[in-house]
Amino acid sequence: MMGCIFCAIAKGEAPAEVVYEDQATMAFLDINPATPGHTLVIPKMHVRNIYDLNDETAAAVMRTATRVARGLRNALRPDGMNLMQANERAGFQSVFHFHFHLVPRWVGDGLRLPWKPEQGDAQAMAEVASRIRKVLIETKE
Ligand code: AMP
Ligand code: ZN
């Protein structure tokens, strides 16, 4: 789809801190200062909402979300992540490409990711992405 930023990321045509990738799916860090610590999981094909996901892609994207959630828990967040689904224009979505948000639990509990996207610290984001990638490789079944 023309103009979809997530499709551009999936094609490698836009930059992203990718923490996991396979044939059908991808996971990368959210750059939004308003959603610190979020990781996004997408199918590489442009699907607008959950109702349009075919069974194969639904299974693939859920498997990736599960794997990445485990990796994030092991690498950074022992308290784990919540999985939320973003659907077209149903909420306050800014990108109309089906995606999951992996959201740090207990946002108010003082446990924070050791990177601060609100400071635009690309180096810190790259470091945290590399830690997550390492854990995902180590724990890959
Ligand atoms: P939503 O607003 O729920 O549709 O979620 C889309 C998310 O994608 C937002 O949290 C954005 O911050 C995030 N986002 C948009 N563009 C990029 C990008 N180029 N790299 C990483 N995250 C992005
Ligand atoms: Zn797209």
Side-chain angles (χ1 to χ4, degrees):
M1 185 210 181
M2 285 281 289
C4 174
I5 181 65
F6 285 2
C7 282
I9 289 171
K11 289 187 194 121
E13 291 168 1
E17 279 305 341
V18 176
V19 297
Y20 179 88
E21 183 174 7
D22 60 28
Q23 216 180 344
T25 70
M26 191 178 241
F28 51 92
L29 303 185
D30 190 336
I31 51 164
N32 188 348
T35 51
H38 284 214
T39 298
L40 304 170
V41 180
I42 62 165
K44 285 183 172 174
M45 69 170 66
H46 188 77
V47 175
R48 283 177 72 89
N49 65 55
I50 198 166
Y51 312 107
D52 298 333
L53 272 177
N54 64 52
D55 286 353
E56 195 185 348
T57 309
V61 79
M62 188 64 205
R63 186 187 57 196
T64 294
T66 304
R67 271 188 194 168
V68 172
R70 268 194 228 112
L72 290 165
R73 187 184 60 178
N74 294 341
L76 298 167
R77 299 285 312 201
D79 55 338
M81 310 291 287
N82 284 329
L83 180 63
M84 305 179 69
Q85 178 253 319
N87 223 21
E88 212 176 14
R89 291 175 191 271
F92 296 97
Q93 266 61 256
S94 58
V95 180
F96 305 132
H97 179 128
F98 170 84
H99 54 283
F100 284 129
H101 287 244
L102 279 164
V103 184
R105 295 184 62 211
W106 316 118
V107 169
D109 70 357
L111 258 180
R112 291 181 56 84
L113 284 169
W115 53 282
K116 295 186 169 55
E118 64 271 26
Q119 294 172 353
D121 190 340
Q123 180 60 30
M125 273 184 79
E127 278 169 22
V128 84
S130 123
R131 274 174 69 187
I132 297 164
R133 280 194 295 270
K134 187 164 172 286
V135 165
L136 282 168
I137 289 161
E138 281 166 2
T139 57
K140 199 171 191 323
E141 52 267 71

